[in-house]
């Protein structure tokens, strides 16, 4: 079972470059989200979506764009990368649930911005 | 701003020892989850507790949700090297969806053979 698939797993960018982190899930989950994980900061929510065509901002949305054209895919775009965006990025999905909210995570994408 | 504080931040123990990690908040949550994250991988859900005072067991792991629904603990009996990882708690607000999930910063556990 594929679950949540993130690509690429590793990426090095120069300041000012743009790139897209891809996320795909095959579980027909309505909810998808992007987190970043930094040492000592825990997991911080960047953007999330409760269904195709619907996105919303999380705790740290600045510098990132998202779109949700299909249920399966939720790409995260960095338009002009900055060193502060060096981090490990996790995509997570879940059935939309207003009771328990369990998340299924991808394996992560490690981004370094020089 | 709601916060979930986890303690200790780091824990290094020998195989066979028992340990408890804590997740505390001043806020009330409708449910609380525990995840384990191994190096280089994403977090994986261990358990969800939804009732105040609830105790759940998963083999050598025992999870408890506080009566007031503001705190939780994870107790591991006879720890093994395979238990090594980052343990994260996450709380969900009443009426909230996954976008309202609040994560603690985690407890990094190292179990030495």
């Amino acid at each position: 079972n594929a679950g949540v698939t993130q690509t690429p797993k590793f990426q090095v960018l120069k300041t000012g470059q743009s790139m897209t982190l891809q996320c795909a899930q095959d579980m027909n989950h309505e909810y998808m989200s992007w987190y970043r994980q930094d040492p000592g900061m825990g997991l911080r929510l960047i953007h999330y979506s409760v269904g195709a065509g619907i996105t919303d901002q999380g705790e740290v949305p600045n510098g990132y764009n998202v779109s949700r054209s299909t249920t399966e895919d939720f790409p995260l775009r960095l338009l002009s990368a900055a060193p502060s965006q060096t981090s490990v990025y996790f995509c997570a999905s879940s059935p939309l649930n207003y009771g328990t909210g369990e998340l299924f995570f991808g394996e992560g994408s490690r981004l370094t911005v020089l | 701003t709601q916060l979930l504080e986890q303690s200790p931040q780091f824990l290094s123990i020998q195989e066979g020892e028992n340990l408890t990690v804590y997740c505390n908040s001043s806020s009330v949550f409708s449910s609380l989850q525990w995840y384990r994250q191994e190096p280089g991988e994403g977090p994986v859900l261990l358990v969800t507790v939804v009732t105040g005072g609830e105790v759940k067991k998963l083999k050598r792991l025992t999870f408890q949700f506080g009566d007031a629904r503001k705190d939780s603990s994870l107790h591991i009996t006879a720890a093994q090297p395979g238990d090594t990882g980052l343990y994260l708690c996450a709380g969900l607000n009443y009426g909230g969806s996954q976008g309202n999930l609040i994560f603690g910063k985690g407890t990094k556990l190292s179990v030495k053979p």
Side-chain angles (χ1 to χ4, degrees):
Chain A
N1 293 335
V4 178
T5 303
Q6 291 183 232
T7 56
K9 286 187 168 34
F10 300 95
Q11 183 71 50
V12 178
L13 290 178
K14 293 181 180 178
T15 297
Q17 287 185 319
S18 63
M19 76 156 300
T20 299
L21 298 177
Q22 302 289 347
C23 176
Q25 53 93 7
D26 62 358
M27 297 173 283
N28 203 31
H29 287 167
E30 300 95 337
Y31 179 88
M32 295 186 74
S33 57
W34 278 100
Y35 288 86
R36 60 178 290 173
Q37 188 174 41
D38 303 289
M41 300 296 291
L43 282 165
R44 293 183 291 171
L45 182 63
I46 304 171
H47 285 286
Y48 66 97
S49 168
V50 297
I54 305 169
T55 64
D56 207 346
Q57 296 181 349
E59 180 186 356
V60 288
N62 292 341
Y64 308 95
N65 282 347
V66 292
S67 60
R68 185 95 179 270
S69 56
T70 67
T71 300
E72 295 78 18
D73 300 299
F74 191 45
L76 178 71
R77 297 182 185 85
L78 286 72
L79 297 179
S80 179
S84 60
Q85 294 178 302
T86 293
S87 186
V88 181
Y89 292 85
F90 288 97
C91 179
S93 74
S94 175
L96 190 60
N97 186 317
Y98 289 88
T100 53
E102 295 99 332
L103 293 173
F104 295 80
F105 285 87
E107 292 187 343
S109 297
R110 183 176 293 273
L111 175 65
T112 301
V113 183
L114 303 175
Chain B
T1 303
Q2 292 180 300
L3 290 175
L4 269 172
E5 295 190 1
Q6 291 190 241
S7 61
Q9 284 188 346
F10 302 95
L11 190 55
S12 181
I13 62 172
Q14 293 295 130
E15 182 176 0
E17 292 183 11
N18 301 332
L19 68 114
T20 303
V21 298
Y22 300 93
C23 176
N24 295 299
S25 176
S26 58
S27 303
V28 176
F29 293 103
S30 65
S31 65
L32 198 138
Q33 304 163 17
W34 285 92
Y35 293 81
R36 179 168 65 209
Q37 183 179 15
E38 298 185 17
E41 299 184 8
V44 175
L45 181 71
L46 295 173
V47 77
T48 300
V49 285
V50 296
T51 305
E54 181 177 4
V55 176
K56 281 192 174 179
K57 292 191 175 184
L58 188 65
K59 296 183 180 178
R60 294 175 293 99
L61 279 60
T62 301
F63 304 86
Q64 185 162 8
F65 200 12
D67 291 339
R69 312 172 75 100
K70 293 182 179 181
D71 54 85
S72 181
S73 63
L74 159 60
H75 181 80
I76 301 179
T77 303
Q80 298 178 0
D83 296 325
T84 292
L86 179 68
Y87 289 82
L88 296 161
C89 65
L92 188 64
N93 292 321
Y94 279 98
S97 69
Q98 291 88 330
N100 303 111
L101 202 59
I102 297 167
F103 277 89
K105 294 182 180 180
T107 293
K108 191 169 185 179
L109 172 65
S110 174
V111 182
K112 295 180 171 34

